Amino acid sequence: MHQDHFLPPAGAFTRSVPIRFSHCDAAGIVYFPHYFDMFNGLIEDWYTEELKHDYAELIMGGRVGFPFVHIECDFKIPSRMGEVIELTLLVERIGRSSLSVVIVCHRDCFERLRARMVTAMMSLETRKPVPLPQPLRAAIESYQQRTALALP
Amino acid sequence: MHQDHFLPPAGAFTRSVPIRFSHCDAAGIVYFPHYFDMFNGLIEDWYTEELKHDYAELIMGGRVGFPFVHIECDFKIPSRMGEVIELTLLVERIGRSSLSVVIVCHRDCFERLRARMVTAMMSLETRKPVPLPQPLRAAIESYQQRTALALP
Amino acid sequence: MHQDHFLPPAGAFTRSVPIRFSHCDAAGIVYFPHYFDMFNGLIEDWYTEELKHDYAELIMGGRVGFPFVHIECDFKIPSRMGEVIELTLLVERIGRSSLSVVIVCHRDCFERLRARMVTAMMSLETRKPVPLPQPLRAAIESYQQRTALALP
Amino acid sequence: MHQDHFLPPAGAFTRSVPIRFSHCDAAGIVYFPHYFDMFNGLIEDWYTEELKHDYAELIMGGRVGFPFVHIECDFKIPSRMGEVIELTLLVERIGRSSLSVVIVCHRDCFERLRARMVTAMMSLETRKPVPLPQPLRAAIESYQQRTALALP
């Protein structure tokens, strides 16, 4: 079977996730909705640790949310209990209030799955999109530039 | 805002899901990975109740699995605690060992979200795709024909 | 092995839950935190359907919550994918702002697990306990009386 | 309100868990079944990192499981998104095939919740209890001795 190599660009935000008993189904592989939960956690950590915008503070203090408007995901290699996988976040496109990221799950330089996730910043009060605040936008643009690579 | 009408075709497999406290996040709307869990439950019920192939028996007895190879989803209207949403399953394409379904989540004739999910039948022993057994294939084709509608 | 018989008292609130693929772990049995999620769903339905106090409305409209202060649970027989289990709710004790319920999970008149769960009604604004409103208390007392049985 | 101080004994196995968006409910606090999932993860890490018995290898290779037979938990202080909580595991009692552990969740030296969880080692083949293997038992006894404290 063809396998896709993946090497994260220098400076890309990558976190390790151990595959736990609770992630796995009766076939012993990760039950797929758990991946989306891992991706959400990665995005949270990226805001807080890489962009230096505390995610909890944005949500609870700023009264905004980041609901997803579109998700697509290709599953290539299943992951099993006891493995440690790597998740890398790359920025694809920054809109006025929307943000498109690519998350690659990999191990030993092989892609296991790849997701494209489009989110929009929304006011929890008005339930309407709000523009990304300028300091947050600048931080995202800077990250995008320093980790740019030809996304397939 | 533009909203998409949706009326399930006659005979389409539809189940109601009450939005529970446990589905909702701090913004009071469904945390998105829960939708994928609901979709998996819908597919289980469709196998067992509509296709008359017991899903648990397929998995545990037949030693096969149905991992997803591709998922895409458009989120249009959020759902809130206490609402009851409808999930309708339609068949898009039947391959040799793969199956592509569309799941539409709707309420009061408006689409809330729409997913396309491609699965492949796999042996749990060899971890390779296996062809859909003929009786199961026949049941899926029959369902597809009697619920055919122009999928956008 | 000794097994405990269980027959719910007449009028007791009981709901069926099908054990799904997503409930089960690599050993093919329910991963235990899912039981607590099922119990929370049972309590929601009990408020809404039996006590006629809409749970979502209480939480979202009334700005109260029902956090648990104490839980204990004995696990007796594991449950497997494809089984349908029954959950029965009984009231043990009604306090000023607290409520102690017993939830018995059973199948074919045998107990599978039994939990005692103590909750307290809290204001989401002040984060302090609030007394159970009189109509809700009356509904719980009435339910307790008509389903009374010698709880072991 | 009275609050319980907690200082883990020297050498006790403690792990930090950041409270994520996905842990929290519509009231902004951790939805309680997630605690039990965190506890299971802590026990996994304790086996692998502290006892030097790889948990995934025990389960998948050894064909044993560790189902819980009894759980009790007191919830004292809720935890909110963005907080980091500490989980400490202590051994209460080692039986022939059973193990009773206490897990204390704390932050800033105050207890937030405390659970007692009794598990039994079971063969996945025979579904009967099996005695703890001697090297595992020795590792648990050694841990218990070096972290002994008067458990309340």
Side-chain angles (χ1 to χ4, degrees):
Chain A
M1 196 181 97
H2 169 73
Q3 295 194 325
D4 297 302
H5 279 271
F6 179 75
L7 193 67
F13 187 77
T14 298
R15 288 294 177 271
S16 299
V17 177
I19 302 300
R20 298 190 170 285
F21 185 71
S22 63
H23 292 132
C24 294
D25 61 22
I29 61 175
V30 174
Y31 177 56
F32 77 101
H34 290 305
Y35 285 121
F36 294 109
D37 192 47
M38 294 175 197
F39 296 166
N40 208 65
L42 183 75
I43 293 172
E44 264 179 66
D45 290 345
W46 176 67
Y47 272 92
T48 302
E49 298 170 21
E50 179 76 28
L51 303 182
K52 310 296 182 198
H53 282 68
D54 185 84
Y55 190 80
E57 177 56 29
L58 272 171
I59 300 267
M60 306 307 274
R63 303 290 299 149
V64 297
F66 294 93
F68 290 100
V69 294
H70 178 75
I71 287 175
E72 55 192 68
C73 189
D74 288 294
F75 301 86
K76 297 169 184 182
I77 302 176
S79 293
R80 292 172 192 284
M81 186 181 169
E83 292 183 334
V84 176
I85 57 177
E86 306 289 318
L87 301 180
T88 295
L89 185 151
L90 298 168
V91 169
E92 194 185 56
R93 192 181 159 277
I94 311 167
R96 188 175 157 277
S97 58
S98 72
L99 174 65
S100 172
V101 300
V102 167
I103 293 176
V104 182
C105 167
H106 52 104
R107 186 179 143 118
D108 298 336
C109 301
F110 287 107
E111 254 191 63
R112 299 210 152 185
L113 59 101
R114 172 178 290 245
R116 203 160 68 84
M117 302 174 81
V118 185
T119 186
M121 193 170 184
M122 305 277 285
S123 160
L124 295 186
E125 313 295 347
T126 66
R127 297 182 188 172
K128 289 191 194 315
V130 290
L132 295 164
Q134 186 49 36
L136 177 59
R137 167 184 296 276
I140 299 171
E141 284 172 348
S142 164
Y143 177 79
Q144 185 183 31
Q145 282 159 23
R146 70 182 179 271
T147 58
L149 88 173
L151 283 172
Chain B
M1 195 181 99
H2 169 72
Q3 295 195 323
D4 297 301
H5 279 272
F6 178 76
L7 194 66
F13 188 77
T14 298
R15 287 294 176 272
S16 298
V17 177
I19 302 301
R20 297 190 170 285
F21 185 70
S22 63
H23 293 132
C24 294
D25 62 21
I29 63 174
V30 174
Y31 177 55
F32 77 101
H34 290 305
Y35 285 122
F36 294 109
D37 191 47
M38 293 175 198
F39 296 166
N40 208 65
L42 183 76
I43 292 171
E44 264 180 67
D45 290 346
W46 177 68
Y47 273 91
T48 302
E49 297 170 20
E50 179 77 27
L51 303 182
K52 311 297 183 197
H53 282 68
D54 186 84
Y55 190 81
E57 178 55 29
L58 273 171
I59 301 268
M60 306 305 275
R63 303 291 299 147
V64 297
F66 294 93
F68 289 101
V69 294
H70 178 75
I71 286 175
E72 54 191 69
C73 190
D74 288 293
F75 300 85
K76 297 169 183 183
I77 304 176
S79 292
R80 291 172 194 284
M81 186 181 171
E83 292 184 333
V84 177
I85 57 177
E86 308 288 319
L87 301 179
T88 294
L89 185 152
L90 297 168
V91 170
E92 193 183 57
R93 192 181 160 277
I94 312 168
R96 188 176 157 276
S97 58
S98 73
L99 174 65
S100 173
V101 301
V102 168
I103 293 175
V104 182
C105 168
H106 51 105
R107 187 178 142 121
D108 299 337
C109 300
F110 286 106
E111 256 191 63
R112 298 209 152 185
L113 58 102
R114 172 178 292 243
R116 202 159 69 84
M117 302 175 80
V118 185
T119 185
M121 193 170 183
M122 305 277 285
S123 160
L124 295 186
E125 313 295 346
T126 66
R127 297 181 189 173
K128 287 189 194 316
V130 289
L132 294 164
Q134 186 50 37
L136 177 59
R137 168 183 295 277
I140 299 172
E141 285 172 348
S142 166
Y143 177 79
Q144 185 183 30
Q145 282 160 22
R146 68 180 180 273
T147 58
L149 86 172
L151 285 172
Chain C
M1 195 180 100
H2 169 74
Q3 294 195 324
D4 297 304
H5 280 271
F6 179 76
L7 192 68
F13 188 76
T14 299
R15 287 292 177 272
S16 300
V17 177
I19 302 301
R20 298 190 169 285
F21 185 72
S22 63
H23 292 133
C24 295
D25 61 22
I29 63 174
V30 174
Y31 177 56
F32 77 100
H34 290 305
Y35 285 121
F36 294 109
D37 192 46
M38 293 175 198
F39 296 166
N40 208 65
L42 182 76
I43 293 171
E44 264 180 68
D45 290 347
W46 176 67
Y47 272 92
T48 303
E49 298 171 21
E50 180 76 27
L51 303 182
K52 310 298 182 196
H53 282 69
D54 187 84
Y55 190 81
E57 178 55 29
L58 271 171
I59 300 269
M60 306 305 274
R63 302 292 297 147
V64 296
F66 294 93
F68 289 100
V69 294
H70 178 75
I71 288 176
E72 56 191 68
C73 190
D74 287 293
F75 301 86
K76 297 170 184 182
I77 304 176
S79 293
R80 291 169 194 286
M81 187 181 168
E83 292 183 333
V84 177
I85 57 178
E86 307 289 320
L87 301 179
T88 295
L89 186 152
L90 298 169
V91 170
E92 194 184 55
R93 193 181 159 276
I94 311 167
R96 189 174 157 276
S97 58
S98 73
L99 174 64
S100 172
V101 300
V102 167
I103 294 176
V104 182
C105 167
H106 52 104
R107 187 179 142 121
D108 299 337
C109 300
F110 286 107
E111 256 190 63
R112 298 209 152 186
L113 58 101
R114 172 179 289 244
R116 203 159 68 84
M117 303 175 79
V118 184
T119 186
M121 194 170 184
M122 304 276 286
S123 159
L124 296 185
E125 313 296 346
T126 65
R127 296 180 188 172
K128 289 190 194 315
V130 290
L132 294 164
Q134 185 49 36
L136 177 59
R137 166 183 295 276
I140 298 171
E141 286 172 347
S142 165
Y143 176 79
Q144 186 184 29
Q145 283 159 21
R146 69 181 179 272
T147 59
L149 87 172
L151 283 173
Chain D
M1 196 180 97
H2 168 74
Q3 295 195 323
D4 297 302
H5 278 271
F6 178 76
L7 193 67
F13 188 76
T14 299
R15 288 294 176 272
S16 299
V17 177
I19 301 302
R20 297 190 170 285
F21 185 70
S22 63
H23 292 133
C24 295
D25 62 22
I29 62 174
V30 174
Y31 177 55
F32 77 100
H34 290 305
Y35 285 120
F36 295 107
D37 192 47
M38 293 175 197
F39 296 166
N40 208 65
L42 182 76
I43 293 171
E44 265 179 67
D45 290 347
W46 177 67
Y47 273 90
T48 303
E49 298 170 21
E50 179 76 26
L51 303 182
K52 311 297 183 197
H53 282 69
D54 186 84
Y55 190 81
E57 178 55 28
L58 271 173
I59 301 268
M60 306 306 273
R63 302 293 297 149
V64 297
F66 295 93
F68 290 101
V69 294
H70 178 75
I71 287 175
E72 54 190 68
C73 190
D74 288 293
F75 301 86
K76 297 170 184 181
I77 304 176
S79 292
R80 293 171 192 285
M81 187 181 170
E83 291 183 335
V84 177
I85 57 178
E86 307 291 319
L87 301 180
T88 294
L89 185 151
L90 298 169
V91 169
E92 193 184 56
R93 190 181 162 277
I94 311 169
R96 189 176 156 274
S97 58
S98 74
L99 175 64
S100 173
V101 301
V102 166
I103 294 176
V104 182
C105 167
H106 52 104
R107 188 179 141 118
D108 299 337
C109 301
F110 286 107
E111 256 190 63
R112 297 210 154 186
L113 58 103
R114 172 179 289 244
R116 201 160 68 87
M117 303 175 79
V118 184
T119 185
M121 194 170 183
M122 306 276 286
S123 159
L124 295 185
E125 313 295 347
T126 65
R127 296 180 188 170
K128 290 191 193 313
V130 289
L132 294 164
Q134 185 48 38
L136 178 59
R137 167 184 295 277
I140 298 172
E141 285 173 347
S142 165
Y143 177 79
Q144 186 184 29
Q145 282 158 22
R146 69 180 179 272
T147 59
L149 86 172
L151 282 173

